[in-house]
Amino acid sequence: MESRRTAVIKLDTPEGADSLLEETVEQFKYCANTASDWCWHGDDGYHVTSKANAERALYDQLRDETDLTANLVQKGIRRAVESVKSGVERLKRGENTSQPYFSADSAVYDKRSATFHRDHVSHSTVDGRVACDYILPDGSETPPTKYVSNGDFEFRMAHLQYRDGDWYLHASMRKVEAGEESSESESEHRTVLGVDLGLNNLAVASTGRFWSADEFNHWRREYKKRRGSLQQCGSRYAHENIENVGEKEYGRFEIHLHTVANEIIEEAVESDCSHIVFEDLTHIRENIPEATWQHVWAFRRLYEYVEYKAEEHRIEAVQVDPRNTSKRCSTCGFTHNDNRHQESFECQKCGYENHADYNGAKNIGLQYLRRRQNADDGGAPVDVRLNRGTLNVSGEYVPPASTGA
Ligand SMILES: [Zn+2]
């Protein structure tokens, strides 16, 4: 048995947000009306009532024509298909009807295009995300306060509506029964920790934490030195020792890697991350041509440890295509060879300056976020965790949530 409620929540829009919301709703209506027109006139005189067909025909065009996210374009098309479907059913029953037209200032949001919090919502718009506080009546038993502040109810989706000069969220909420798994897990908001691997720094997190490779390099040199001197002796005993030195060094590397892995997990847990993103290690040699076999081994081991240890914290370790993550500006997206000079990154376009590995770590997080956005299911919203605040899909910096005030 499922209990559903619609909560109508008045929004407190920050300065400058109204025009963005207006334009978003305008473009959403454009998508819905374009789709309605196409579906109603249809293929060879048949009305189109298949979402998949409509999306196939219109998605690319509408992404080009609007500034909406993939998810909102899909929602606009689907909204039209639903209406055309009901229209077609009315026609079948011999009732009078005409092509659906969307005139109300309203757009449909789900948990991918909006993040619903208990006191505010963040919507994607034609230009990044906009966060609006809820204006809730006092008194915990008064709707919508009753549902919005009650952890037993989860947000499913919402219509953003403009009426008489104000913005409202018509949120449909569902009661989560005791013992039931919240359905939020699937499309839940994700916050990722990006991790860049390298030679001077073994790992750098998008939160700005660095793990130097000094110790690693020291051991590597020691290993080489000892192996060298043993080889010079040339005895059988020496050969056996080479093996032993190898094993011993491996052991020391491994302990060190365990420590680094634990600290990466710790960083992710403290920053409330659901995912830790690494570059794809399959072609690590192509990405880091100077990497020795020990580096490659260490990177893979480190990933394995993180992946294994992350599980118990319900954090997922993933790998993404690392192409351009070292040359791309994490602030404006401008990609150029000249942006990077060894350890320093300076964007030739916007002037953003930072440690090259830190810029890389942010890009690896952003890469995962882009991949999710293009996912077939529309992708859950993803933010990249920084040392303060987060970066969202439009590269927009979101400061840490300010409570109170
Ligand atoms: Zn830039």
Side-chain angles (χ1 to χ4, degrees):
M1 212 173 54
E2 234 185 43
S3 174
R4 285 168 190 268
R5 295 283 183 282
T6 300
V8 181
I9 308 160
K10 193 171 176 177
L11 298 178
D12 181 11
T13 51
E15 212 181 302
D18 287 70
S19 56
L20 283 179
L21 294 177
E22 272 164 40
E23 186 57 29
T24 305
V25 161
E26 210 42 56
Q27 295 194 8
F28 188 89
K29 277 156 61 179
Y30 173 78
C31 286
N33 284 321
T34 306
S36 171
D37 197 45
W38 186 83
C39 293
W40 193 257
H41 297 289
D43 263 350
D44 302 324
Y46 290 97
H47 300 299
V48 175
T49 56
S50 148
K51 283 176 194 164
N53 288 351
E55 272 177 29
R56 206 172 302 130
L58 299 167
Y59 176 82
D60 287 342
Q61 174 200 334
L62 290 172
R63 280 306 300 277
D64 276 352
E65 290 175 352
T66 68
D67 302 310
L68 297 178
T69 61
N71 184 272
L72 284 175
V73 166
Q74 279 172 350
K75 286 279 176 302
I77 297 173
R78 286 174 193 195
R79 184 175 219 193
V81 173
E82 291 298 334
S83 296
V84 167
K85 223 185 232 174
S86 344
V88 168
E89 270 155 31
R90 282 195 294 277
L91 286 178
K92 279 184 189 159
R93 293 196 297 266
E95 293 167 25
N96 206 0
T97 191
S98 57
Q99 179 188 329
Y101 179 73
F102 301 91
S103 59
D105 292 317
S106 152
V108 182
Y109 283 88
D110 65 10
K111 284 185 281 192
R112 298 184 190 114
S113 45
T115 312
F116 303 103
H117 301 272
R118 296 289 163 183
D119 60 347
H120 73 283
V121 61
S122 127
H123 293 104
S124 57
T125 71
V126 288
D127 187 17
R129 284 202 168 217
V130 160
C132 303
D133 285 335
Y134 301 150
I135 303 174
L136 294 169
D138 291 335
S140 56
E141 283 307 303
T142 328
T145 311
K146 191 178 169 180
Y147 307 115
V148 171
S149 51
N150 184 345
D152 290 345
F153 282 88
E154 63 174 23
F155 286 84
R156 295 181 56 77
M157 49 90 67
H159 288 227
L160 173 70
Q161 291 190 4
Y162 185 71
R163 206 177 60 235
D164 303 328
D166 283 306
W167 290 95
Y168 294 87
L169 203 61
H170 288 238
S172 90
M173 306 192 74
R174 167 181 169 278
K175 186 164 190 188
V176 184
E177 300 300 334
E180 182 198 1
E181 277 281 310
S182 156
S183 71
E184 278 177 20
S185 50
E186 247 321 280
S187 58
E188 158 179 288
H189 189 98
R190 299 169 191 216
T191 299
V192 305
L193 185 74
V195 177
D196 183 72
L197 300 171
L199 306 184
N200 295 330
N201 294 293
L202 209 53
V204 175
S206 57
T207 47
R209 189 161 175 183
F210 286 65
W211 288 270
S212 149
D214 285 356
E215 266 175 284
F216 175 84
N217 288 330
H218 173 75
W219 289 333
R220 203 164 59 84
R221 276 193 303 269
E222 281 299 295
Y223 170 58
K224 264 180 133 171
K225 214 162 67 191
R226 291 187 62 180
R227 194 176 61 173
S229 67
L230 285 169
Q231 261 169 342
Q232 275 170 3
C233 297
S235 67
R236 191 172 145 234
Y237 172 75
H239 273 291
E240 277 166 13
N241 257 297
I242 291 170
E243 300 304 312
N244 289 341
V245 169
E247 248 169 61
K248 209 167 142 196
E249 291 303 324
Y250 270 149
R252 291 176 68 167
F253 288 164
E254 284 192 342
I255 290 166
H256 179 62
L257 291 174
H258 271 292
T259 309
V260 174
N262 281 333
E263 287 173 359
I264 291 176
I265 304 277
E266 194 181 282
E267 194 70 11
V269 171
E270 275 169 17
S271 316
D272 235 352
C273 294
S274 55
H275 290 69
I276 301 174
V277 189
F278 285 80
E279 60 200 272
D280 189 335
L281 296 175
T282 326
H283 306 293
I284 188 86
R285 273 240 162 80
E286 289 156 41
N287 304 323
I288 313 179
E290 306 87 356
T292 62
W293 65 265
Q294 286 104 330
H295 282 108
V296 176
W297 169 80
F299 295 152
R300 295 209 170 121
R301 246 328 129 81
L302 182 63
Y303 180 77
E304 279 167 21
Y305 291 159
V306 168
E307 189 181 33
Y308 174 73
K309 289 165 200 269
E311 228 177 73
E312 67 183 271
H313 297 279
R314 294 177 153 220
I315 294 173
E316 205 184 323
V318 288
Q319 297 187 1
V320 293
D321 182 351
R323 225 170 308 157
N324 293 333
T325 45
S326 61
K327 298 184 246 174
R328 183 185 168 104
C329 171
S330 60
T331 298
C332 76
F334 180 69
T335 304
H336 201 280
N337 279 332
D338 293 348
N339 281 352
R340 181 180 185 156
H341 291 286
Q342 287 158 357
E343 300 231 86
S344 57
F345 185 95
E346 188 186 349
C347 178
Q348 303 299 300
K349 194 172 166 198
C350 76
Y352 170 78
E353 272 181 81
N354 217 316
H355 194 288
D357 295 342
Y358 177 58
N359 179 66
K362 287 205 281 182
N363 276 330
I364 284 167
L366 287 167
Q367 189 85 326
Y368 174 76
L369 178 153
R370 276 189 289 273
R371 187 177 93 185
R372 287 297 307 163
Q373 238 215 346
N374 296 327
D376 286 345
D377 60 1
V382 180
D383 287 335
V384 178
R385 183 64 71 196
L386 306 182
N387 51 355
R388 278 189 91 246
T390 53
L391 268 184
N392 67 17
V393 70
S394 21
E396 175 196 357
Y397 173 70
V398 183
S402 49
T403 42

